[in-house]
Amino acid sequence: DTAVSQTPKYLVTQMGNDKSIKCEQNLGHDTMYWYKQDSKKFLKIMFSYNNKELIINETVPNRFSPKSPDKAHLNLHINSLELGDSAVYFCASSQQDRRPGYTFGSGTRLTVV
Amino acid sequence: KNQVEQSPQSLIILEGKNCTLQCNYTVSPFSNLRWYKQDTGRGPVSLTIMTFSENTKSNGRYTATLDADTKQSSLHITASQLSDSASYICVQQAGTALIFGKGTTLSVSS
């Protein structure tokens, strides 16, 4: 059973398009996250969300928006895609009051052409 | 300057050898220090988590150390195997935020 699953695994799209990446966790965690890993392998948080609060990294363009239909899902919507959005996007989840904490999905490689 | 600095950036060793990866951190407040292993094309997987009061923790052939005074951590890999080839990422948790280092890419060759 996959704990944190993301779809699609690969996404190639043209500049200007709008796309979504889906994430689901079956761990019963209360918080979910989106991270971006750039070409230099550096992971940077974009959003964290639990059923009370959305925390947005101020460096994330407002073309990116998380949508959570329920506690087990946090989807990432990206509008007007740009070349610089090409990266690997990781979803993660955690239970805030419990260790070891974070579980990551296997990533979605987005390529904007 | 990144708040979590790792060295070396990359490392090549022969199978069976030991190696040590370094991490310096400056983030405050300190919650815990984590080491993750990331295989190519996969998400990071947790190896160890250490709180302020722990100065060493092992997970099989992986041993992490933490020196809270010097704000340094190391990850020692014993008797390396080909499957250890991966990126090893040092992560500091400050409050609810995870601050990632850029990772050390380890290649183990036969």
Side-chain angles (χ1 to χ4, degrees):
Chain A
D1 257 353
T2 305
V4 179
S5 59
Q6 299 179 223
T7 54
K9 190 169 175 64
Y10 300 96
L11 180 57
V12 181
T13 188
Q14 290 187 321
M15 273 196 306
N17 284 349
D18 303 337
K19 289 293 178 186
S20 294
I21 306 172
K22 295 185 177 180
C23 178
E24 176 181 4
Q25 56 97 2
N26 61 7
L27 299 167
H29 286 169
D30 62 4
T31 307
M32 296 183 72
Y33 311 83
W34 277 104
Y35 284 83
K36 179 181 179 182
Q37 187 172 43
D38 61 24
S39 57
K40 296 181 180 176
K41 307 291 187 188
F42 188 41
L43 271 154
K44 218 170 179 183
I45 191 164
M46 302 175 70
F47 306 99
S48 71
Y49 179 77
N50 61 24
N51 56 8
K52 301 169 191 169
E53 189 178 22
L54 171 66
I55 300 175
I56 303 171
N57 182 329
E58 62 189 13
T59 66
V60 175
N62 57 16
R63 297 181 294 103
F64 290 79
S65 58
K67 299 269 192 313
S68 181
D70 55 58
K71 280 180 63 174
H73 296 83
L74 184 67
N75 303 326
L76 181 65
H77 294 269
I78 315 170
N79 294 328
S80 303
L81 278 155
E82 300 177 359
L83 293 177
D85 297 333
S86 296
V88 182
Y89 293 84
F90 286 97
C91 178
S93 70
S94 73
Q95 183 68 24
Q96 291 287 34
D97 59 354
R98 200 193 309 157
R99 290 177 63 176
Y102 291 74
T103 301
F104 284 83
S106 53
T108 295
R109 180 174 292 278
L110 170 67
T111 303
V112 182
V113 297
Chain B
K1 184 175 163 68
N2 195 26
Q3 294 171 303
V4 178
E5 296 275 352
Q6 291 188 243
S7 62
Q9 186 174 4
S10 61
L11 184 60
I12 302 173
I13 61 173
L14 289 175
E15 189 179 11
K17 297 295 185 184
N18 304 335
C19 66
T20 301
L21 314 180
Q22 302 290 347
C23 175
N24 296 337
Y25 62 92
T26 59
V27 181
S28 295
F30 180 90
S31 294
N32 56 63
L33 193 290
R34 304 161 180 248
W35 283 93
Y36 282 85
K37 178 186 179 187
Q38 185 177 16
D39 292 309
T40 301
R42 307 297 297 272
V45 174
S46 180
L47 294 175
T48 64
I49 302 175
M50 288 183 291
T51 59
F52 188 84
S53 59
E54 297 173 302
N55 54 23
T56 187
K57 184 166 273 191
S58 291
N59 177 1
R61 295 179 296 102
Y62 301 102
T63 300
T65 65
L66 177 65
D67 185 332
D69 291 332
T70 61
K71 296 189 177 180
Q72 294 180 327
S73 177
S74 65
L75 181 70
H76 186 75
I77 304 174
T78 305
S80 61
Q81 300 176 358
L82 296 178
S83 60
D84 292 333
S85 296
S87 287
Y88 291 84
I89 307 173
C90 176
V91 183
Q92 188 190 345
Q93 183 167 355
T96 57
L98 291 187
I99 313 297
F100 287 77
K102 292 187 178 181
T104 293
T105 300
L106 174 66
S107 298
V108 180
S109 60
S110 56

